DNA sequence: CTTCTTGGTTCAATCACTGAACCTAGGGTG
DNA sequence: CACCCTAGGTTCAGTGATTGAACCAAGAAG
């Protein structure tokens, strides 16, 4: 979003939410974090976003308590960005938005989501039709769909080709 | 969203969705349309958005099949913008986003949503806990919450103070 | 004939995004 | 020690989107 990211006159929690996550690239950063991306460089190559924008988004997301920056090694010092509870709570919204995009603007599903306990594909509201419960993000298994490029260029997309739980960190193959 | 509203490298239905509705103000226009706002001037005063931006958003939303422009009187010729099926299908995403905003960034609820059949307040996923079904937008009753300004300046906000079904056109009091 | 309403368009100023270049701290190699 | 590499940034000029104010037009109303 550009120029005055706030919606001053709007007395509305949707507007409040959009002030936080409504800027360009922000929700895609959160999506990647749900998919298990954690490191600056992985966000960078996977999103294709300018570094300045990525830095700014990671900063505000951290300040708003959606991501947490934490040290994962001391020498050399390196940090990673991990979703907080507040960030994980965006999963239903992203799920709903993604489903809308798929149903109205994409031919074949790019990614399917299953309940990890029973393998059942999630219903439209993120519920498990078999178990009759809403599936928390950590119990969602993401499996690649037919529409997905089977041989992507960047290592992050390649790592995301394996079935994998949400939030579980991705494993990059080097070489 | 600014500058290149597309996410070319993103093979993802969330990115597809955001290309359509991710620009600044767009989701708030859809929200207002769900609340029953239909006319150019009503969007204008309620959103406080520049006219040029509103015109642009209404145009793309119409082109993308989310709104439909239709004549509501012949003399003088006047058009209104009404949500299509595709637009109404954004309700779960807006509901999820609004709930996230409310739970994490707003003290008191600004608006409550009930199942019109039984009066039960909707659950977090837009379901009716009493009936056990997902409530379509047209069957959602919007009632003002404690956090809402009881005497707003613009006539659209005043019209939205009454309990009202989603999608049902607002009634502006003149004078 | 003048004014009001509705629904816009135009335009300069401002601000955000982009892409490329540069920077820094810490390793690793010869 | 000299050199290159990686991860994680910052800086900056150019471009594009947003803003707010002004202007426009068609029909109705007085």
């Amino acid at each position: 979003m550009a120029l005055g990211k706030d919606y001053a006159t709007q007395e509305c929690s949707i507007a409040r939410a959009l002030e936080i996550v409504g800027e360009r690239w922000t929700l895609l950063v959160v999506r990647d974090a749900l998919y298990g991306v954690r490191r600056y460089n992985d966000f960078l190559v996977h999103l294709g976003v300018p570094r300045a924008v990525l830095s700014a988004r990671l900063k505000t997301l951290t300040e708003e308590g959606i991501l947490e920056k934490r040290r994962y090694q001391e020498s050399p010092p390196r940090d990673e960005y991990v979703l907080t509870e507040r960030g994980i709570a965006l999963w239903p919204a992203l799920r709903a938005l993604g489903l809308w995009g798929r149903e109205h603007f994409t031919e074949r599903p790019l990614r399917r989501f299953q309940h990890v306990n029973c393998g059942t594909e999630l219903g439209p509201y993120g519920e498990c039709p078999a178990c009759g419960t809403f599936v928390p993000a950590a119990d969602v298994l993401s499996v690649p769909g037919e529409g997905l490029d089977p041989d992507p260029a960047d290592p992050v997309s390649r790592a995301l080709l394996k079935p994998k739980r949400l939030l579980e960190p991705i494993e990059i193959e080097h070489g």
Side-chain angles (χ1 to χ4, degrees), chain A residues 117-145:
Chain A
N117 296 13
C118 63
T120 313
E121 188 153 343
L122 296 194
Y125 302 89
E127 82 282 12
C128 174
C131 308
T133 58
F134 288 101
V135 182
D139 292 344
V140 172
L141 187 72
S142 159
V143 296

Side-chain angles (χ1 to χ4, degrees), chain A residues 40 89 115:
Chain A
Y40 188 93
H115 188 189

